Amino acid sequence: MPRGQGRPYRRGMELSGGGWALVLGPGGPVGTAWLAGLAAGLRRAGVEPASADLIVGTSAGAIAGAMIATGRDLAAVAELPPSDERRPVVDGSVMAGVVEIGSTADLDPDEARRRIGRLALEAAALPEERHRTSMKFLVGTDEWPDGHLLVTAVDVASGRPVVWDASSGVPLSAAVAASSAAPGYAEPVTIGGRRYMDGAFGGGSNADLARHAGPVVLVEPLPQAFGGAAADVRIVPDEGGREAFGDDVGDLARWTPAYRAGSRQATTAAERIRAAVTVRGR
């Protein structure tokens, strides 16, 4: 496989010596804020999410997973910096087309993703350069962490799910940007001469990547859209979190309320994680 291209998606990662896995699912910008707040709260509660032996991140979860694994100061993203830049208006017909394709009976999954990829390429959306710049701000670095972090995406041309890790030769912000490039929201991201889009189309939260990695903690901002995966602990937004999300997960005005909702929920989440896994300090 050429350096820089995502390697084929392989379900189930073996970890030597046991350990636990943290799987972070999709949820748009508002879901990203909730995940970051939850992780910050877990740290305050004495549960270090970066102590997981494996972190799997998809879309919003890729952003949060990269922040967690690299040791990002999560308090620094409790509020987004003011910006005069206008984001392109999201065309709702793009996602409507995605839903229509996804609900087509008997359509081969790769072909469905190829069709979704064509919609993503044709849609007016946030330019990939601006999207990657935003991801670099949130993650804080282009260097992959020492721990085992997996970032998922989908190859637009082939329709196949792919995974990047520290050995892939891909800047971390590029992998995260590709994983979170939702059709109509951000343009597919170019890596190694190929275009990639949101990893959620490869398998929701992609929890199967952690199937053999010991106890799995699955955190899903949008369980109604991507839920159903098996996990030892499954954490979703509580009532306060759902209220903070509102009706549009792309609404950046809800970033701080969602972050705070995640932070408030962390105490209960920490108790559940402690009961299921052995959390080591890092």
Side-chain angles (χ1 to χ4, degrees), residues 82-93:
S83 175
D84 294 329
E85 289 189 347
R86 290 189 175 184
R87 301 184 65 90
V89 177
V90 176
D91 183 354
S93 67

Side-chain angles (χ1 to χ4, degrees), residues 2-28:
R3 189 166 176 80
Q5 291 186 14
R7 60 181 173 81
Y9 184 111
R10 179 169 61 85
R11 298 178 187 274
M13 302 294 293
E14 296 288 351
L15 294 178
S16 59
W20 66 287
L22 177 63
V23 178
L24 305 172

